[in-house]
Amino acid sequence: MSRIALFPGSFDPITIGHVDVITRSLDLFDKIIIGVGNNATKNYMFPLQDRVDWIKDSFSEYHQVEVQAYNGLTVDFCKKVHARFILRGLRTSADFEFERAIAQMNHYLERGVETVFILSSPQYAPVSSTIIRDIIRNGGNAAPFVADGVKLK
Ligand code: ADP
């Protein structure tokens, strides 16, 4: 049975922190599917198609990495794509508390899916899509913090 992990997130936009988590996880899994959330109640800065295309461009040379948009429950999408693992990154203790609740609830919902956490590399711990969106809104240079494929105007 192949080891498929789903890395779910908003990726609004994908950052060097996300890229770090994904590339460091490649040895753990046969395939990593980056699941780009499309939640009707969330206000994204970037359209779904841009978020997906930027990730595809960033990982075009990685045959193990796939990108798919999804909505609905993450565990339902896991079943659909046969992912037995959810991959998430941890930067801080605040991330830990937030992620703990989600991972434990996901495990109640679907026993066959385990969440695997990768600790952020120290240099990427302050990098978040939220802060990057703030930099962009205020006319700062966010380019050093986003993945290669992200095209900011
Ligand atoms: P969500 O909207 O689900 O929080 P994000 O796109 O913000 O989605 O993040 C997806 C995952 O990537 C989360 O597990 C988050 O903790 C992790 N992550 C985000 N930034 C970093 C970073 N700089 N280092 C490590 N993990 C990160």
Side-chain angles (χ1 to χ4, degrees), residues 36-140:
V36 185
N38 187 27
N39 184 334
T41 62
K42 273 200 180 182
N43 271 325
Y44 301 105
M45 175 175 249
F46 298 105
L48 177 67
Q49 199 57 53
D50 285 353
R51 288 182 283 133
V52 167
D53 288 347
W54 292 342
I55 301 171
K56 282 188 177 161
D57 288 350
S58 302
F59 287 95
S60 58
E61 280 161 29
Y62 292 79
H63 66 278
Q64 261 175 285
V65 178
E66 260 180 35
V67 189
Q68 291 196 42
Y70 80 101
N71 47 35
L73 283 180
T74 300
V75 288
D76 287 344
F77 189 60
C78 284
K79 275 201 273 188
K80 190 176 161 207
V81 296
H82 307 292
R84 287 183 292 138
F85 305 95
I86 293 173
L87 175 64
R88 295 285 283 180
L90 291 177
R91 289 160 291 190
T92 61
S93 54
D95 269 359
F96 172 77
E97 282 306 326
F98 179 74
E99 296 290 342
R100 180 187 57 77
I102 296 175
Q104 289 173 335
M105 283 308 289
N106 279 336
H107 202 244
Y108 276 128
L109 291 170
E110 184 52 58
R111 294 274 159 198
V113 174
E114 286 293 346
T115 302
V116 174
F117 296 103
I118 294 287
L119 273 185
S120 162
S121 296
Q123 67 271 34
Y124 300 132
V127 177
S128 75
S129 296
T130 307
I131 295 179
I132 286 172
R133 289 195 299 275
D134 232 45
I135 294 172
I136 295 167
R137 254 185 229 112
N138 291 289

